[in-house]
Every structure is written in C-alpha cells, then in structure tokens.
Amino acid sequence: MLLVSQILFSCSFLLFLSRRILNYLRFFQQEDYRPKRFLKWFLWAKAFDTKGTLILALAFLGRFFFEPTFLYFLLSFGFLYSFFKEEDPRVFGKIPLKMTNRAKRLFLVSLSLSFILSLSAYALGDFFKELVFFAFFLQMQPLILLLSWLLLHPDEKRRQNKFLRQASLKLEKVDPFVIGITGSYGKTSTKHALAHLLNTCVGPTFFPKGSVNTPMGITVEVNEKLKPYHQFAVIEMAAYGIGSIRNLSCFTKPKAAILTNIGLAHLERFKLTQTIQKAKAELAEALPKGGLLVCNGDSPLIREIAKNHRDKNIIFYGYSDHLGPIDLLIEFKENTLKGTSFTFTWKGKCYSGTTPLFGKANLSNIAASFAMSSELGGNPDFLMAAIGCMEPVNNRLEIKQDKGVTYIKDAYNSNPLGFKDALEVMEALPGQRKFLMTPGMIELGPLQAHENEEAGKRASRFLDTALIVGKVNREALNRGLSSQMTPSQVLFFDFREEALAFLKKEAREGDVILLENDLTDIYESKSSF
C-alpha cells in the first residue's frame, strides 16, 4: 500500500506543479522571458510557495500520529484539491498566459525536470526528509523554470535566427520603402497614422498592427503579412537598450525615419535620458545619406540628434519655433466630443482641418505622418481629408459614449506627457462629474514618485472623484490629489475590476470618466502562491 500511496501522491503533486509552473510562466512571459526582470518581480512580489508548503507542513505534524501510507493519501487529496482550486493562468488574469510554441516548450521542459527531480526524493528513504525535500523543491520552481529557459536558449536562438533570415529575404524580395519610427512616446499612434495616410493617398503600405515593435514580433508580421504589392513598410522600433534599434535597422534597412519624442518613459531601464537619446539615435544613424528624417522640433534631445546627422534630409515639425526652425508648424485649436481642430502651416500654405483623434500629442503624431507622407508624394489636400477620417488606436485617448456617460480610454502605457494630455482633454470636455481611474505611471526610475504626484496635483484641480488602483503609486498619487481634494474624494482599490464595478454602479448620464493606464498583473497586486 505504501507504493500505491506514493504513486498517487506523485501524480497529484505533479498536477499541482503543472499549475504552479503555468502561473510562474505567465509572469515570465509578461517580462518578455527576461530572467533578471522575472527574478526582480519574484523577489518584489515575494511569490514564494505557501499553499503547497502548508500542506506538507501539516503532513509533518501528522507524522507523530499516522503512518506514512495514510499521510501520502492525505497529501494526495490536499494537492489535488489545491490543483482544482487554483486559477488556470491560461484563462484568468488581466493578461492570460498565451501558450505559444515557446511557452509550450518551456512548460514541458520545466515539468519534465520537476518530475525527474521529485522522484529522487524517495531515494532518501525517510518520510521526514522526503517532506523537507518536497517543500524545498516547491520553493525552487521559479529557478527550475529559469533553468529550462537556459537549456532551451540555444535552440530558441536558432529558431529565431531562422525566422529572421526568412523575413530578411522576404523584405529584400518585396523591397518596400521602409520607414522606421522610434521615440519614448507616440510610436504606435504615429505608425498607425502614417500607414493610414500612405495607404489612402500614396500607395499600399505594410505595417504591424498594435504595438508590435520587437525583432521577433516584426519578423512574424513580415513573414505572414508582407505582400508583393506593398510599396511601403512602416516599422515601429522599440529600444530595450543600446543596440536594440541598430539590430532592428540591420534587419529592416529603413530609408526614412520619424523621431517622435524623447522623455522619461522607461527611465528605470535606461537610467539616464542621455542613454535613451543614444539608443533612439541609432535609427538616424541607420539611414542612408540623404535619407528622409522627420523630427519633433519641440524636443531638445531630438534636435541634438538632428545636428549630428546633417547629411540627412531633415524635416522638423512642432508647435513652436523657439528651439529652432520649423518646417511644419502645428496650431492646436480645441478639443470637442467630435475630435480636435487644428491648422498646419506647411511649405508656405495653411491647412485647417479636424481629426477624430484627441489631444496635442496625437496631433503631433499626425503632423509627423503628414510631413512624411507629403514628402513621399502625398497631395497635402488629400492628406488633410484622410486625417479627418482617422480612427484612434485602441485605448490611446479613445473616447466612447455609453448611456450618456463619456469614457476616455487611455489605458495603454501611460507616460507623463500622455497623462497630461489626457487630463487636458478631460478638462475641456463638458460633464456633470469627472472621474479618474488610474494605477499611475511606472518605469520612470527615481522620478516615478514625483511624476505621479505632479499628475495627481494637475488632476485635483477639476476632478470630482479619483480612483487609485493598486499600491505601486498609491502614496504619490494620493499626495498630489490631496492638494485640492478631500479624503472622501480619493478612493483606493486593490484591483482594476473592483474600481470598474464601482464606476458601473455610480456613473450616471453626463459623467466623464478617464481610464488612465492599466498595469499588467506584475504590477497591480502581489499574487498568492
């Protein structure tokens, strides 16, 4: 009977481990399979096993009263019960685990290693030692997952290089005119705006939809969606460090580029804004001599990049010429429920128009796209007409109305400039009561607390109620909001779903609700293991 109980326990323990591995794998995936970032999250969240260890601890106490055979049966029941009670990360969570081929490989290797190592516990020949081994083994699951990543890494690089070569050959064969876009903010919105203008007024254009901006993401899009008839390709380029954009440029070979802005986004990763500037400048360096370089003239750091690349055909756009000459001058007029009205001054002529997009940052992105499209052959009058029928990128200052309530959805990757822009849009819109729901901004390094406090102060001038989600920026946001709001006007929620439930219950016709930023499961709360 002892052998039967051990087999039953091994099976139930393995089932429990499979769910535990999937849960850790979800967070590893959200950290882009970066071991250091995953370990940093693990230690911050204190995501050590407690459920399985508690079950083993109870069995340890039970050894004074029961035989190991009976305890193994009890342990089997305990781990089976925990397996069925624990949420499946492939279904639950703000960002469920996506079982890609890579995730499947990591899961299977981790589970195999766990199975082999767990069987070795029985070689100890002592029930107490076996319990200690299993408890220690549970705490080691994140490291076993990382060991699996390490074992698979050479094969993963081989697979990635194969796909990369396929995409490179396809780009060479189709030979579209490649336009790279980078910056701290506005990359995705500019990409969609430019692709819309080119497709409408110039020629068929390929672009990866959404916020796809990494080598493997772009590789998949090129292999699957680039067609022989595409004349242009618009590529968004993210920087995870020095060399990221250089590598992307070697792969895509851009002939033109847009530099949107350089600011505090991802300062935690880069440490210094000068490092961010150096990383973004790699796109300008990649252009051929005489290549078209469209730059945000309102950004001092981008102007410095332009000064170092005078062999390029440089076009400046912006709201003011106080930093230097402007080729495309933007005049913002007003935000209404229908969108934004504006005027562009371009090559000695004024173009007035409206766009369904909102905010000065979006208008700046549109101006960059207008300048690039015009230089590539687009008729400015046709481009202005196309701007009038643009659609906002999902959850980037997207305004929706439901039962008389106006929702401003700006839930993607908030930054100081974008937060300020969203608050200005909200303040300009008519409304009986105004609500802000936000977890605040992240990855701003030592300036994170200050920037969140400043955002809170700015919002406190006109808000009726603020809903702070999670604990990451709770204190800083509360300090800022409390400058002009009473404690009863500032509410705290651990989870986004709780805050949304409150809004659903409290909102009434005429209200304006800003949903500013939405953090992943990594940041919103500490998960229970």
Side-chain angles (χ1 to χ4, degrees):
M1 282 298 288
L2 178 61
L3 180 61
V4 173
S5 66
Q6 286 178 331
I7 291 173
L8 184 61
F9 166 72
S10 296
C11 292
S12 62
F13 186 66
L14 196 62
L15 275 175
F16 177 79
L17 281 181
S18 70
R19 185 59 51 85
R20 184 50 42 87
I21 291 167
L22 287 173
N23 269 303
Y24 283 127
L25 183 55
R26 172 165 66 113
F27 290 99
F28 193 30
Q29 189 177 75
Q30 288 184 26
E31 290 288 16
D32 295 322
Y33 301 111
R34 296 172 183 270
K36 287 184 179 179
R37 290 175 66 89
F38 173 71
L39 281 175
K40 183 179 179 181
W41 162 80
F42 175 76
L43 295 172
W44 171 81
K46 297 181 176 62
F48 302 98
D49 174 84
T50 55
K51 297 173 186 176
T53 305
L54 179 60
I55 293 170
L56 292 168
L58 292 173
F60 171 77
L61 295 175
R63 66 190 269 270
F64 297 108
F65 307 100
F66 304 103
E67 291 296 316
T69 300
F70 179 72
L71 289 174
Y72 271 126
F73 279 120
L74 284 180
L75 282 169
S76 302
F77 173 79
F79 279 110
L80 279 173
Y81 177 79
S82 295
F83 168 76
F84 287 111
K85 287 292 289 182
E86 193 162 306
E87 292 181 341
D88 187 339
R90 294 167 294 184
V91 179
F92 294 95
K94 295 170 74 175
I95 303 178
L97 172 64
K98 294 173 183 155
M99 291 305 289
T100 61
N101 289 333
R102 184 179 189 181
K104 289 175 183 176
R105 289 192 291 271
L106 275 168
F107 171 70
L108 289 174
V109 172
S110 295
L111 191 62
S112 300
L113 286 173
S114 297
F115 177 68
I116 294 167
L117 291 171
S118 63
L119 288 180
S120 65
Y122 297 117
L124 296 171
D126 179 80
F127 184 68
F128 169 70
K129 291 180 180 178
E130 289 168 6
L131 290 180
V132 173
F133 179 89
F134 285 123
F136 175 75
F137 184 68
L138 281 175
Q139 303 300 342
M140 295 296 290
Q141 281 305 300
L143 295 181
I144 291 173
L145 180 60
L146 292 181
L147 175 61
S148 302
W149 175 87
L150 189 63
L151 293 172
L152 287 169
H153 188 63
D155 180 63
E156 196 64 41
K157 290 298 293 182
R158 180 189 63 80
R159 291 171 186 271
Q160 289 180 0
N161 289 334
K162 178 184 175 182
F163 291 135
L164 195 63
R165 284 193 298 270
Q166 289 175 351
S168 295
L169 288 172
K170 192 170 184 181
L171 276 168
E172 286 180 17
K173 184 178 179 179
V174 177
D175 194 26
F177 186 92
V178 177
I179 305 155
I181 299 175
T182 195
S184 298
Y185 325 125
K187 296 184 294 293
T188 302
S189 297
T190 304
K191 175 180 66 179
H192 282 76
L194 178 58
H196 170 76
L197 294 182
L198 291 175
N199 269 317
T200 306
C201 303
V202 186
T205 302
F206 161 82
F207 70 106
K209 294 185 179 179
S211 55
V212 175
N213 55 25
T214 61
M216 287 315 298
I218 294 168
T219 295
V220 171
E221 291 285 314
V222 168
N223 283 330
E224 294 181 356
K225 298 177 183 177
L226 180 65
K227 304 300 181 185
Y229 56 77
H230 282 129
Q231 297 175 21
F232 300 93
V234 182
I235 305 296
E236 175 186 347
M237 299 185 180
Y240 289 90
I242 300 298
S244 293
I245 292 176
R246 185 184 302 114
N247 292 336
L248 268 173
S249 298
C250 288
F251 160 40
T252 58
K253 297 178 175 59
K255 297 171 185 172
I258 296 176
L259 303 182
T260 61
N261 211 323
I262 293 176
L264 300 178
H266 308 302
L267 185 62
E268 182 177 306
R269 183 186 306 160
F270 287 95
K271 309 303 180 186
L272 299 170
T273 52
Q274 288 78 9
T275 309
I276 300 174
Q277 180 190 34
K278 186 177 179 181
K280 303 301 182 183
E282 291 174 353
L283 179 53
E285 293 164 7
L287 297 184
K289 186 175 180 179
L292 182 58
L293 181 60
V294 176
C295 297
N296 185 341
D298 294 329
S299 169
L301 293 177
I302 287 181
R303 281 200 176 262
E304 285 183 14
I305 293 174
K307 285 180 183 178
N308 294 326
H309 295 87
R310 294 182 181 180
D311 60 331
K312 311 299 190 291
N313 178 15
I314 298 172
I315 302 292
F316 287 110
Y317 66 94
Y319 284 96
S320 169
D321 61 0
H322 72 282
L323 292 179
I326 289 287
D327 300 287
L328 191 160
L329 184 65
I330 311 165
E331 182 185 351
F332 170 85
K333 290 186 176 178
E334 65 173 338
N335 286 313
T336 69
L337 280 173
K338 293 183 179 181
T340 305
S341 59
F342 63 93
T343 296
F344 289 160
T345 302
W346 170 246
K347 295 187 176 180
K349 186 175 178 181
C350 291
Y351 299 89
S352 294
T354 59
T355 176
L357 277 59
F358 293 86
K360 292 180 178 178
N362 264 330
L363 193 53
S364 180
N365 299 333
I366 292 170
S369 305
F370 175 92
M372 178 66 75
S373 300
S374 180
E375 287 295 293
L376 294 178
N379 183 305
D381 292 312
F382 292 167
L383 293 172
M384 290 299 294
I387 288 171
C389 58
M390 278 182 176
E391 292 185 3
V393 182
N394 187 40
N395 278 316
R396 288 172 171 85
L397 263 184
E398 181 184 18
I399 295 184
K400 301 282 187 180
Q401 287 193 303
D402 182 31
K403 298 178 182 178
V405 179
T406 300
Y407 292 91
I408 306 173
K409 298 181 178 181
D410 196 36
Y412 189 85
N413 198 19
S414 182
N415 57 72
L417 183 64
F419 203 146
K420 179 183 177 183
D421 213 28
L423 289 173
E424 287 178 355
V425 171
M426 185 187 198
E427 188 173 15
L429 296 181
Q432 292 184 4
R433 298 182 302 170
K434 296 189 175 181
F435 294 79
L436 166 66
M437 186 184 100
T438 184
M441 300 169 284
I442 59 169
E443 293 192 350
L444 299 178
L447 297 178
Q448 183 165 312
H450 170 76
E451 291 297 331
N452 279 288
E453 184 174 346
E454 288 301 306
K457 287 179 182 177
R458 194 174 292 114
S460 70
R461 297 198 301 260
F462 61 88
L463 281 183
D464 294 286
T465 303
L467 290 71
I468 301 176
V469 179
K471 299 178 181 179
V472 176
N473 296 306
R474 180 175 290 185
E475 291 183 7
L477 284 168
N478 189 38
R479 282 197 302 272
L481 291 164
S482 297
S483 62
Q484 296 190 50
M485 298 176 73
T486 64
S488 63
Q489 292 177 288
V490 182
L491 309 177
F492 306 104
F493 299 87
D494 288 331
F495 300 100
R496 179 173 179 265
E497 287 73 18
E498 296 172 351
L500 288 173
F502 173 85
L503 288 172
K504 185 176 180 181
K505 179 182 177 183
E506 294 295 321
R508 59 174 183 251
E509 187 175 350
D511 288 345
V512 179
I513 298 172
L514 170 59
L515 307 176
E516 179 63 29
N517 209 11
D518 181 17
L519 303 184
T520 62
D521 306 275
I522 291 170
Y523 293 101
E524 186 168 285
S525 63
K526 296 184 179 181
S527 297
S528 172
F529 286 87

